[in-house]
Structure formats: C-alpha cells, structure tokens
Amino acid sequence: MRILLVDDEPLARLALQAAVERLGHKWIAAEDGQAGWRRFVEDEPDVLITDLLMPGLHGLELCRRVRAHAATRSGYTYVILTSVLGDREDVLRGMEAGADDYLVKPVELFALQMRLIAARRVTDLHGELARFRAELSTLAHTDSLTRLGNRLSLEEDLRALDARGRRYGRGYCLAMCDIDRFKAYNDSLGHHAGDEALRAVADKIKQELRAGDGVYRYGGEEFLIVLPEQTPETARIALERVRSAVQQLAIRHVAGPAGVVTLSAGITAYHPGDATTIEELLEQADAAMYRAKSAGRNRVVSYEDDAEAAAG
C-alpha cells in the first residue's frame, strides 16, 4: 500500500518510515500538517498515518479535510491517528473527525501491522464498492440491446450540453433518426432479426460520428444524434454520411424504400441566443424526421429548410 506519514518530530517520522518499509509498504512523508495536506492531494495515498498534535494544521483538521475531499475522488484513504496521549477523549475526537483507528506513540511494529492489515481490507472493500457503483451507473445509463446511451443518459447529457451552449454562446444540432418501415421488418422476419438489425444500425451510426458526438436509443427503432458545435449545414453532411452507411450495410428489407434497411432523419439546431427549449428542439427534430418519411423515406430533412420554405 502507499502510506503517507505526517509527523513534525523527525525521529518519530523516521521510526515510522522504517516500520512501514519493514512491513513491505511504500511511504511518502511530510513534516507537518500543511505539507501533509499537499502531499495527500497530490498522491492520494491508501493510508494516512498522522500525528494528532502538530503546530499549524493539526491531525484532527487534516483528518477532516481528507474526509471532505473524499467526494471528489474514487478511492478511500484509511486514516490512523498517532499521539503520545492515549485517553478516551483523544480517541473519540479522532474518530469523530473521520479517523479509522488510533495508535499510541511510540508505535509498536505489531500494533502497526495489525492496523495496516485492517486498512488493506477496508480500502479493498471500498475499491470493490466503487467499481460496483460505476457498473450500476453504466447499466442505468445504457440501452441493454444496442449498448447506446438510453433516455436517462440522453437527458443528462443534453441538458449539460444545452447549459454550456447557452452560457458560452455555442450552438449544437440534434438529429432524430428512424429505421424505415421497421414494423414490417419485424413482422416478416421476427423480433430476433429485428434486434440484430437494431444492433447493426446502432453500431454503424456510432462508427460514422465524431468522438465528441453522441448517439442514443430514443425508443423502439428511433435514435437521437447530438452534434455539439455543428451548424445545420455540417450536421446535414454528417447525417447524409450516416444515412448512406446504414444503407450500405445492405440488410435485406423487402418493404424498405431501397430493398434494404434505411434511415430517415430530421435535423434541427440550437443557435446561440435562441430562446428555444430542449423540448421544442426535440419536437422540431421529430417533425423534420416525419417530413423525411412523407417525402419518400431514406433521406435527411432539416427543420430550418422547411421553416424557411413555409415562410417564403
């Protein structure tokens, strides 16, 4: 384990260093609480062993800072306070400040070894819990069939993008896509074939987009593509590339407009300074997509083009 040793007494610090080395662990050291805090932030150790009474930043305050910092890091640091004082009030104050254990100085090797065994178990457990929480978060934000982001993921990402766009004056585009005549595909070939087609289309869409773009399963056979900092013109180019790539998969679909699985897509844009809400943008993208369907399917339609035509 990586252990941070904080003590203002050089001899006590050297004794701890020797003991930690003898037990087979790596150490870094600091001569007071302020230096210990800086080293903690830089190195994020597995274990912190800190003296209780130090000038300036004492051990209790260092412990409180470590626990407050825990919200911004994934790992858990096991904290052991040391002091020549060993009364119950000191132990209680240390535990209330967030310490996990307590050692009376001079520290005995056996006592330190026992604490570090416990520290290993606790830090390993916290690591497992962190991985489990990360996996749960991924599952909660991922569509199980296509492995794309789901509606929850879309809502969070889109609101964050929209907030940045409105704050910093950055535009973005949305594109609603729908597999043409997908119900007929399912009815003729079965739901297993339909699932395979959905996965293939989802993979192809993702391959054709930039790393900073997002694609989500919106529902059924619908996908929503989020294109940060793109104009309607550049978004159309991107969507035409996606549409063509899906068609070139050549997934046979006798009821499709081209005899294969194809996409219809509708694009809309947020322009800096617009008062248009996210919900209105989604409605616009959906309306443009249905115009693409009405115009014969397997095509890309921009909401702005239709709006300009109507105004003209």
Side-chain angles (χ1 to χ4, degrees):
M1 291 186 293
R2 296 173 297 112
I3 302 174
L4 172 60
L5 309 173
V6 184
D7 201 307
D8 62 318
E9 298 177 6
L11 290 179
R13 200 164 60 246
L14 287 171
L16 273 174
Q17 291 170 12
V20 166
E21 279 189 6
R22 186 172 174 184
L23 294 173
H25 301 289
K26 298 178 181 179
W27 59 266
I28 49 178
E31 67 277 7
D32 57 37
Q34 288 290 356
W37 172 243
R38 290 193 297 270
R39 293 306 302 266
F40 172 80
V41 173
E42 292 171 4
D43 296 284
E44 297 195 342
D46 301 306
V47 179
L48 166 64
I49 302 177
T50 179
D51 190 25
L52 175 62
L53 301 176
M54 294 182 291
L57 186 67
H58 54 77
L60 292 181
E61 180 58 29
L62 178 58
C63 187
R64 292 188 187 102
R65 289 193 184 187
V66 167
R67 291 296 174 243
H69 188 65
T72 64
R73 58 191 297 264
S74 58
Y76 181 83
T77 296
Y78 193 91
V79 179
I80 303 172
L81 287 175
T82 66
S83 176
V84 293
L85 306 174
D87 60 50
R88 292 180 177 179
E89 286 299 317
D90 289 323
V91 175
L92 182 59
R93 287 190 300 138
M95 293 301 182
E96 288 175 342
D100 297 284
D101 215 324
Y102 199 99
L103 282 169
V104 177
K105 297 167 69 174
V107 174
E108 296 180 358
L109 183 65
F110 178 76
L112 176 61
Q113 185 176 20
M114 294 302 98
R115 266 64 172 193
L116 294 182
I117 289 172
R120 169 77 74 183
R121 290 174 179 169
V122 171
T123 54
D124 285 351
L125 177 60
H126 277 273
E128 288 293 327
L129 288 173
R131 286 189 289 275
F132 182 63
R133 285 194 295 267
E135 290 174 3
L136 283 179
S137 178
T138 299
L139 289 173
H141 290 77
T142 304
D143 175 63
S144 60
L145 177 64
T146 63
R147 310 307 299 171
L148 298 178
N150 60 14
R151 291 287 288 267
L152 174 61
S153 178
L154 169 63
E155 181 175 354
E156 293 178 359
D157 294 349
L158 186 51
R159 292 200 179 281
L161 174 66
D162 186 72
R164 288 195 302 271
R166 292 175 194 276
R167 182 173 182 179
Y168 299 110
R170 296 174 178 172
Y172 62 87
C173 289
L174 303 180
M176 190 75 75
C177 307
D178 184 85
I179 298 178
D180 295 320
R181 300 192 186 281
F182 189 69
K183 184 179 183 303
Y185 186 90
N186 264 338
D187 289 344
S188 61
L189 298 177
H191 288 284
H192 178 73
D195 288 349
E196 291 297 321
L198 279 170
R199 276 191 286 265
V201 170
D203 289 343
K204 181 54 65 175
I205 293 173
K206 194 170 183 178
Q207 290 170 16
E208 294 299 321
L209 297 176
R210 304 174 304 173
D213 298 333
V215 55
Y216 307 83
R217 188 178 181 192
Y218 196 70
E221 65 272 23
E222 289 186 330
F223 304 93
L224 189 84
I225 298 175
V226 179
L227 304 159
E229 300 191 32
Q230 288 224 36
T231 65
E233 293 74 24
T234 58
R236 183 188 287 274
I237 294 171
L239 264 295
E240 285 290 356
R241 185 174 64 248
V242 167
R243 183 202 59 76
S244 177
V246 169
Q247 183 172 345
Q248 289 173 26
L249 285 172
I251 301 172
R252 187 169 179 271
H253 181 13
V254 293
V260 295
V261 167
T262 57
L263 282 181
S264 295
I267 300 169
T268 193
Y270 166 74
H271 299 283
D274 280 358
T276 313
T277 66
I278 292 174
E279 291 73 21
E280 290 169 338
L281 289 170
L282 290 170
E283 290 174 2
Q284 290 174 4
D286 195 57
M289 181 193 72
Y290 276 102
R291 292 192 187 107
K293 296 277 191 185
S294 300
R297 297 181 173 82
N298 191 25
R299 65 193 64 216
V300 178
V301 169
S302 171
Y303 181 83
E304 291 192 352
D305 289 348
D306 286 350
E308 289 173 5

